[in-house]
Amino acid sequence: MPNPSGATPQPLTPDEESLVRALGQVMHVLPRAIDADMVGDRQLPLTEYTALMNLSETPDRRMRMNELAALCHLSLSGMTRTIIRLETQGLVRRERCEEDARGWNAVLTDAGYARLQESWPSHLAAVRRRFLQHFEGFDLAQLARAFQRAGTAEPAD
Amino acid sequence: MPNPSGATPQPLTPDEESLVRALGQVMHVLPRAIDADMVGDRQLPLTEYTALMNLSETPDRRMRMNELAALCHLSLSGMTRTIIRLETQGLVRRERCEEDARGWNAVLTDAGYARLQESWPSHLAAVRRRFLQHFEGFDLAQLARAFQRAGTAEPAD
DNA sequence: AACCGGAGCTTGATTGGTCAAGCAAATATC
DNA sequence: GATATTTGCTTGACCAATCAAGCTCCGGTT
């Protein structure tokens, strides 16, 4: 706790304040909006989409639960549950891991791959329309680096 | 992704891609991190903090459920439940609205105000440390405007 | 003045996530 | 090589949010 008792810290400047508020709003609105676009379009909730996406980017369309969870920003148990949902839809199948019998691979099925192909354009369109569009003229790379820093759990200080 | 057959839309540029990914990470990590900082510090989860905050910014420390829900980016029922949690901690009290007997006001109690005073510095510090710090040198006002546009549910197109 | 239609809020059911405990396989230690 | 520890994943209990249905009250019609 950076502020030892007593003195109140410097408040935010108006610009800082509105940035923080706007980010709060975006964090709330954006996932729902993208989700809605996709559900309306190709019935894949964002979490499930992300899982399929990450699987598809792998050479043999399979990944260990641990790794997949990390890439999807999900807890391991959250991942288990997501994969179960996908499995019951036939979009993913689970196989025991050969070199470690404790481990499982989530494997993208052909149906899953097909579904992803269907969903991909509408996801992409939503991301552009809802987000990227508003950052034309910005230095995206610089912005991306700042967000990467902010997304890294522990600031070094 | 793996770009298959037919007329597929233009994929994202690498910079766009990393911005989107980084934003995804931030949206996941940041609320949890701030929440953790605060819980460790002054036991106020972010949602409840936001509610108290908004109440405190009002001239008479009270607000109708509807309005409060909107400001907290919460559904009305979500707001009801949050206020109930706060009420059982004695930080907020509910009063029937005078000019409309259907309505309720959430009212910040003295205890609530005190608790907010305690929490405020650590919240502020967390926001700075976890977020604002990484945007030094940026044009914050411009950035805020872009986020405001992105946070407005329907893009005009 | 009795009646609707709709507004303001709460409640019930469901969802999608978390954390903690459990189980089975792997690895380290003796 | 037997036992203890650790790892990988699942399961159970819980929690905070959502939506849809319900209740109460308002206000305009007639």
Side-chain angles (χ1 to χ4, degrees):
Chain A
M1 161 177 35
N3 190 41
S5 55
T8 45
Q10 186 95 348
L12 296 181
T13 68
D15 285 350
E16 287 176 329
E17 173 105 21
S18 45
L19 177 56
V20 168
R21 287 192 125 93
L23 180 75
Q25 178 121 344
V26 163
M27 294 196 315
H28 179 260
V29 164
L30 217 133
R32 286 169 176 76
I34 293 181
D35 221 285
D37 289 355
M38 296 188 57
V39 166
D41 216 50
R42 285 274 155 258
Q43 4 281 18
L44 257 194
L46 192 48
T47 305
E48 304 182 9
Y49 176 84
T50 307
L52 296 189
M53 193 68 187
N54 280 298
L55 286 178
S56 82
E57 282 172 349
T58 230
D60 47 357
R61 297 191 190 162
R62 80 187 47 222
M63 207 182 289
R64 296 284 293 267
M65 297 298 288
N66 254 320
E67 194 183 349
L68 188 53
L71 289 175
C72 296
H73 311 301
L74 222 56
S75 71
L76 192 46
S77 57
M79 196 70 246
T80 296
R81 277 157 180 154
T82 302
I83 288 297
I84 288 174
R85 288 194 301 270
L86 287 168
E87 203 176 19
T88 67
Q89 300 177 70
L91 304 181
V92 153
R93 138 179 57 93
R94 271 187 292 185
E95 291 180 0
R96 286 218 92 106
C97 180
E98 307 230 320
E99 63 274 13
D100 184 341
R102 293 167 298 185
W104 291 87
N105 281 297
V107 187
L108 189 60
T109 63
D110 289 347
Y113 188 73
R115 174 63 134 279
L116 185 57
Q117 300 285 44
E118 285 182 336
S119 306
W120 178 58
S122 84
H123 175 80
L124 183 52
V127 167
R128 274 197 216 290
R129 209 167 65 92
R130 305 270 187 187
F131 180 61
L132 290 172
Q133 191 186 356
H134 304 294
F135 290 85
E136 273 166 23
F138 280 77
D139 179 343
L140 296 188
Q142 183 199 24
L143 211 48
R145 283 193 301 274
F147 274 97
Q148 277 156 16
R149 291 193 298 268
T152 308
E154 269 318 315
D157 278 37
Chain B
M1 255 298 327
N3 186 335
S5 58
T8 47
Q10 186 95 347
L12 296 180
T13 67
D15 285 349
E16 287 176 329
E17 172 105 20
S18 45
L19 178 56
V20 168
R21 288 191 124 92
L23 181 75
Q25 178 120 346
V26 163
M27 294 196 315
H28 179 260
V29 163
L30 216 130
R32 285 168 177 77
I34 292 181
D35 220 285
D37 289 356
M38 296 187 58
V39 167
D41 217 49
R42 283 277 156 253
Q43 5 281 16
L44 260 193
L46 192 47
T47 304
E48 303 182 11
Y49 177 83
T50 307
L52 295 190
M53 195 67 191
N54 279 298
L55 286 178
S56 82
E57 281 172 350
T58 229
D60 47 357
R61 297 191 189 164
R62 79 186 48 220
M63 207 183 290
R64 296 287 291 266
M65 297 299 288
N66 253 322
E67 193 183 350
L68 189 53
L71 289 175
C72 295
H73 310 302
L74 221 56
S75 71
L76 192 47
S77 57
M79 197 70 246
T80 296
R81 274 150 185 161
T82 303
I83 288 297
I84 289 173
R85 287 193 303 269
L86 287 169
E87 204 176 19
T88 67
Q89 301 176 69
L91 304 181
V92 154
R93 137 180 57 95
R94 271 187 291 186
E95 291 180 0
R96 286 216 94 105
C97 180
E98 307 232 319
E99 64 273 17
D100 184 341
R102 292 167 298 184
W104 291 87
N105 280 299
V107 187
L108 189 61
T109 63
D110 288 347
Y113 189 72
R115 173 63 135 276
L116 186 56
Q117 300 285 42
E118 285 180 337
S119 306
W120 178 59
S122 84
H123 175 80
L124 184 52
V127 168
R128 273 197 217 289
R129 210 167 65 93
R130 304 267 186 190
F131 180 62
L132 289 172
Q133 190 186 0
H134 304 294
F135 290 85
E136 273 166 23
F138 280 78
D139 180 342
L140 296 188
Q142 183 200 23
L143 210 48
R145 283 193 301 273
F147 273 96
Q148 277 155 16
R149 290 193 299 267
T152 307
E154 270 316 316
D157 277 37

